[in-house]
Amino acid sequence: MRLAPLVSFTSFLLPLALAQIPCRIDTSVDHFPDDAQIKVEFAKGFQVSYHGWYKVIEIGGKKVVGSLCGAQVDGVDGSLGTVAIPAGKIAIDNGSEGLIGFFERLNSLPAVSHILTPESTVTSECVQQRFASGDISNLLSGPQPDILFSNSANSSVPTLDVYGTMLSESNPLARGEYLKLLAAFTNTERSVNQLWNALHKNYECLQKGATAPKEGERVAWLRADSSNKVYESERYGSLNDDYVKAILTHAGAKPHSLPPASQHDALHELLMKTDYLIDTTPWQLGNQKVYVLSDLGRSFDISPNLFPFGMNRIHGRALRPDQRINDDGHDAFLQEVWAYPDYLLWDLRRVFDDAFRSSEVWWWFRSLNEGDTPKQIQCTNPNVTAFPHLQLADSDCVASKSPSSGGSHESRKTHASALSITFFSLVFLFGSIMGWIFWPELVSTWWMLRDRASGRAEQWKRGSRLWDEGVELK
């Protein structure tokens, strides 16, 4: 019984004692063998090189050195400084919240100590819980972070614009590959390589299984500069145009884009050719109602029922990627999607392949036509991603000839042409068979008609001759 306080006291002191043991690193050993390194395949904005016991991380033309135990490394030209790896105090600046999804997918949220943005705008429920417990602060106070991810310079902390550089990539896989970059800071290259192999395999499977673009849906991914305002010209355009074109094409769709600051006439002309409209007009719920199809009409100054994606259409949809929201009504799409290109492609494939009004529930997208409502994000484990396991079947990797929803206008025209050709082919075949069966009767009828025609012609000639000779015909 007397041992219990001693055991408790020892368990309290042990972590403190271990914390005082200096970190030592053998610089003569290669601590980063091949399987503990990342290899960049798609991204153009960053590189990581390995040097035995430290790594040089370069992004957007800036460098930092990540060293085991934080030992100082000299002789790296242009370095902003040395960061101890694995980094345990990472700060994400206001405007870079889109990196949160990367840390969640890496199961590395404990490495994030600061998110310098209002708590209400952070959509991750797991991050909200870490705010509440004090594990994450939205003020750059207390212990100094190891590194700051921001588009603004900071003289006291090595600062890299990871989010801005990531958005400069147009390939969805290139943006997703920034998982590898962040894993270099948390020293989790082995696990991210396994994650990436599965992600890449799933993405290629979904891309291969998508309907060929020539048969695909015509999709416009647009936004209005503001909503619920009196009509203003030159306020419509596509968002992340190159990225959107790539992901829609990979999903088997035909992307229709609109230049920034386009006028209403150009918008109207484009929408008349659109099967699916993905509306990303900014909309914060707050005390307002859920964004519905009539709100889309006000945002774009149109009557949705006049367009192929309208309420009463049997094909096509108007969509918004705001299925997942937090308590304050902020949607999670832009804070999650870049780290999940395979899930985005999966979601789009299901949208385009889905039969109309099938009550299918997607991950990010909701149908305005069918009155889908947003769903609040839940967090079951603050340290583990809450996304469902993406288990694909072999059939997902095989392209179908046409979408199950009926196909686009072009594919329906092609289908109609095929039916016409088939009809006339059957008529010709039927006529040929009937001709072969009744060939003798047809020949006999032909000679009879010919003889009659010849006799009448002879009578006509004889009558004409007699008329010319003045003979009265009776």
Side-chain angles (χ1 to χ4, degrees):
M1 295 295 292
R2 295 177 180 270
L3 291 176
L6 178 60
V7 171
S8 178
F9 182 68
T10 302
S11 63
F12 171 74
L13 286 181
L14 183 59
L16 295 178
L18 291 176
Q20 302 304 315
I21 298 176
C23 177
R24 300 182 184 277
I25 187 70
D26 186 351
T27 59
S28 65
V29 176
D30 183 4
H31 295 272
F32 304 112
D34 288 346
D35 66 335
Q37 299 182 17
I38 60 166
K39 294 177 175 59
V40 181
E41 301 173 59
F42 298 94
K44 300 177 181 179
F46 76 91
Q47 289 291 335
V48 180
S49 59
Y50 295 85
H51 307 271
W53 54 278
Y54 70 92
K55 48 186 112 168
V56 177
I57 304 169
E58 182 175 358
I59 177 169
K62 297 182 178 180
K63 298 178 184 178
V64 295
V65 176
S67 72
L68 296 173
C69 295
Q72 184 63 35
V73 179
D74 299 320
V76 179
D77 294 337
S79 172
L80 298 177
T82 301
V83 177
I85 55 170
K89 297 190 292 293
I90 297 174
I92 299 175
D93 201 359
N94 188 20
S96 295
E97 301 91 340
L99 297 178
I100 293 173
F102 289 90
F103 285 101
E104 286 195 302
R105 188 159 197 184
L106 291 169
N107 293 328
S108 296
L109 272 182
V112 179
S113 59
H114 300 78
I115 298 180
L116 309 178
T117 190
E119 294 180 33
S120 62
T121 62
V122 175
T123 55
S124 168
E125 182 64 24
C126 294
V127 172
Q128 294 281 3
Q129 291 183 14
R130 296 185 70 82
F131 270 125
S133 64
D135 294 320
I136 294 179
S137 171
N138 65 351
L139 298 174
L140 198 58
S141 59
Q144 186 86 336
D146 299 324
I147 191 164
L148 171 64
F149 295 144
S150 171
N151 61 2
S152 302
N154 188 302
S155 59
S156 59
V157 182
T159 304
L160 296 174
D161 185 11
V162 176
Y163 188 65
T165 307
M166 183 270 296
L167 289 181
S168 69
E169 310 277 2
S170 59
N171 186 325
L173 286 174
R175 293 193 184 184
E177 202 165 23
Y178 280 68
L179 285 161
K180 297 180 181 179
L181 171 69
L182 298 178
F185 285 100
T186 57
N187 219 31
T188 53
E189 282 93 337
R190 284 189 173 93
S191 61
V192 81
N193 285 336
Q194 295 178 357
L195 169 63
W196 178 258
N197 290 338
L199 181 160
H200 192 191
K201 180 180 178 181
N202 285 338
Y203 193 96
E204 287 191 331
C205 163
L206 290 164
Q207 182 180 354
K208 183 179 178 181
T211 305
K214 66 180 181 181
E215 299 177 342
E217 309 294 356
R218 302 179 302 178
V219 183
W221 194 316
L222 306 176
R223 64 177 289 166
D225 289 344
S226 56
S227 59
N228 291 332
K229 288 189 176 182
V230 178
Y231 165 68
E232 303 170 7
S233 62
E234 300 184 355
R235 65 184 183 113
Y236 310 99
S238 300
L239 181 66
N240 279 284
D241 199 28
D242 291 337
Y243 177 91
V244 164
K245 285 180 181 177
I247 193 72
L248 290 179
T249 300
H250 294 169
K254 279 188 174 181
H256 283 196
S257 59
L258 194 66
S262 292
Q263 295 186 1
H264 191 263
D265 289 346
L267 168 75
H268 190 279
E269 182 180 356
L270 178 72
L271 293 183
M272 289 303 295
K273 305 173 184 176
T274 297
D275 296 315
Y276 286 78
L277 171 62
I278 300 177
D279 175 18
T280 56
T281 299
W283 180 270
Q284 297 177 1
L285 293 177
N287 296 323
Q288 304 179 64
K289 61 185 180 63
V290 174
Y291 192 101
V292 296
L293 194 63
S294 59
D295 295 312
L296 178 148
R298 284 190 288 271
S299 295
F300 292 97
D301 193 31
I302 61 174
S303 174
N305 288 339
L306 300 178
F307 295 87
F309 48 81
M311 175 65 79
N312 297 318
R313 299 295 185 260
I314 61 172
H315 177 74
R317 283 188 177 92
L319 304 155
R320 276 184 69 84
D322 60 357
Q323 177 95 271
R324 292 165 53 78
I325 61 171
N326 67 0
D327 289 337
D328 294 285
H330 295 273
D331 72 84
F333 186 70
L334 294 180
Q335 294 183 27
E336 293 178 337
V337 68
W338 316 123
Y340 294 87
D342 47 341
Y343 282 78
L344 177 58
L345 191 57
W346 172 61
D347 223 20
L348 289 169
R349 278 281 310 274
R350 293 193 302 158
V351 168
F352 299 147
D353 292 345
D354 182 28
F356 195 67
R357 301 187 187 283
S358 71
S359 70
E360 174 76 24
V361 177
W362 308 303
W363 190 247
W364 285 296
F365 296 97
R366 64 183 181 95
S367 170
L368 300 182
N369 308 70
E370 296 155 287
D372 295 347
T373 56
K375 296 175 175 56
Q376 189 170 321
I377 300 170
Q378 302 294 327
C379 176
T380 55
N381 186 334
N383 299 323
V384 179
T385 179
F387 275 57
H389 180 58
L390 189 54
Q391 185 69 41
L392 301 179
D394 292 339
S395 58
D396 293 319
C397 304
V398 179
S400 58
K401 293 184 178 180
S402 61
S404 61
S405 56
S408 65
H409 295 295
E410 286 89 347
S411 63
R412 289 195 294 275
K413 289 178 181 178
T414 303
H415 183 61
S417 299
L419 288 177
S420 300
I421 294 172
T422 303
F423 172 77
F424 287 113
S425 298
L426 291 174
V427 170
F428 176 78
L429 180 62
F430 177 77
S432 299
I433 294 174
M434 297 302 293
W436 180 76
I437 294 174
F438 296 102
W439 177 251
E441 289 82 356
L442 291 173
V443 172
S444 175
T445 301
W446 162 254
W447 285 110
M448 180 182 67
L449 292 174
R450 182 185 173 194
D451 291 344
R452 286 182 180 179
S454 299
R456 289 177 180 174
E458 186 62 31
Q459 289 178 1
W460 183 83
K461 290 179 181 179
R462 179 173 176 272
S464 298
R465 187 175 63 254
L466 293 175
W467 177 267
D468 292 339
E469 294 175 354
V471 177
E472 183 178 356
L473 297 177
K474 297 182 180 180

